[in-house]
């Protein structure tokens, strides 16, 4: 009798594990995850004298380009919102020391100013004839710029975009990467 109970329990456990494996296998789509975690670093030779890195060998694919700029903007704005919320939580926490409150208030003010300035610079660049653009800051003070364009950007347009960003955001040109997203 005890052997039958153990066998039944083992059989039920085995069926349960098989169903979990089947579900995971059903949900896993290798095509969707084939590029997960990959990073591409490319320095284009034709814009070397501009000090701009361009990801020209792996442009955003046509099927993804329709929403690429919107997705990048959403992710960037979501990052800013999460940081603002985190800073506000620290500032409003009753256990936070006055020195930390002042420090995080300065960080919050700086973050809001940076977010506003990035949006303003994107609008200035759009006024120069660019259809759409997103500027994405990184943790190491680099800026990734994705420009939506039908054609490959010419060197003078890249130089204009670079100059606006360098002047307005005060970043080093060598820390600027421009990617073209084709429509």
């Amino acid at each position: 009798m005890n052997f039958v109970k153990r066998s039944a329990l083992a059989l039920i456990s085995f069926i349960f594990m098989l169903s979990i494996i089947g579900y995971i296998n059903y949900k896993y789509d290798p095509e969707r995850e084939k590029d997960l975690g990959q990073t591409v670093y490319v320095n284009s030779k034709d814009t070397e004298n501009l000090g701009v890195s361009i990801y020209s060998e792996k442009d955003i694919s046509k099927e993804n380009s329709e929403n690429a700029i919107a997705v990048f903007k959403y992710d960037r704005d979501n990052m800013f919102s999460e940081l603002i919320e985190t800073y506000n939580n620290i500032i409003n926490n009753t256990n936070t020391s006055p020195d930390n409150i002042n420090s995080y208030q300065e960080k919050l003010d700086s973050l809001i100013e940076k977010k506003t300035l990035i949006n303003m610079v994107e609008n200035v660049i759009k006024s120069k004839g660019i259809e759409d653009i997103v500027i994405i800051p990184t943790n190491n003070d680099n800026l990734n710029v994705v420009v939506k364009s039908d054609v490959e950007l010419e060197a003078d347009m890249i130089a204009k975009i670079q100059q606006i960003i360098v002047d307005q955001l005060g970043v080093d040109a060598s820390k600027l990467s421009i990617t073209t997203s084709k429509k």
Side-chain angles (χ1 to χ4, degrees):
M1 184 71 169
N2 204 9
F3 175 74
V4 174
K5 286 183 184 179
R6 279 191 254 163
S7 297
L9 183 59
L11 184 61
I12 291 172
S13 298
F14 182 71
I15 292 171
F16 180 70
M17 287 189 300
L18 278 178
S19 62
I20 289 174
I21 291 169
Y23 176 77
I24 290 171
N25 192 34
Y26 172 76
K27 283 296 195 180
Y28 175 71
D29 181 8
E31 211 37 51
R32 180 186 66 212
E33 298 178 8
K34 70 179 182 181
D35 294 329
L36 187 64
Q38 290 185 354
T39 304
V40 177
Y41 299 102
V42 179
N43 286 327
S44 179
K45 293 187 185 340
D46 60 339
T47 56
E48 208 168 72
N49 59 346
L50 296 174
V52 179
S53 297
I54 299 180
Y55 300 106
S56 59
E57 291 181 359
K58 185 175 181 182
D59 285 343
I60 298 165
S61 64
K62 184 170 177 67
E63 61 268 2
N64 292 331
S65 68
E66 294 298 321
N67 297 321
I69 299 286
V71 169
F72 288 136
K73 281 185 181 180
Y74 175 80
D75 288 345
R76 182 206 52 208
D77 292 343
N78 192 38
M79 175 198 66
F80 277 126
S81 295
E82 287 177 4
L83 280 171
I84 289 169
E85 183 179 344
T86 300
Y87 291 167
N88 277 326
N89 287 341
I90 292 171
I91 291 167
N92 295 326
N93 187 337
T94 56
N95 294 329
T96 305
S97 71
D99 290 338
N100 281 341
I101 290 175
N102 291 336
S103 172
Y104 278 96
Q105 186 62 54
E106 288 174 10
K107 288 180 182 181
L108 178 62
D109 294 342
S110 174
L111 184 66
I112 292 171
E113 181 180 327
K114 183 177 186 177
K115 180 182 176 186
T116 305
L117 189 57
I118 286 173
N119 287 329
M120 188 257 329
V121 170
E122 287 175 350
N123 290 331
V124 168
I125 293 171
K126 282 195 244 180
S127 74
K128 302 295 181 192
I130 296 295
E131 184 177 336
D132 206 357
I133 185 169
V134 62
I135 300 171
I136 308 161
T138 64
N139 287 342
N140 55 358
D141 296 329
N142 289 342
L143 284 180
N144 295 321
V145 180
V146 181
V147 179
K148 188 174 187 179
S149 176
D150 282 341
V151 295
E152 197 66 35
L153 291 178
E154 294 184 18
D156 63 331
M157 183 54 83
I158 293 171
K160 284 180 189 177
I161 292 170
Q162 177 188 10
Q163 193 61 47
I164 292 169
I165 292 172
V166 168
D167 289 347
Q168 298 298 318
L169 298 178
V171 296
D172 184 7
S174 66
K175 293 189 170 237
L176 185 61
S177 297
I178 299 176
T179 304
T180 303
S181 170
K182 303 210 188 247
K183 289 197 273 185

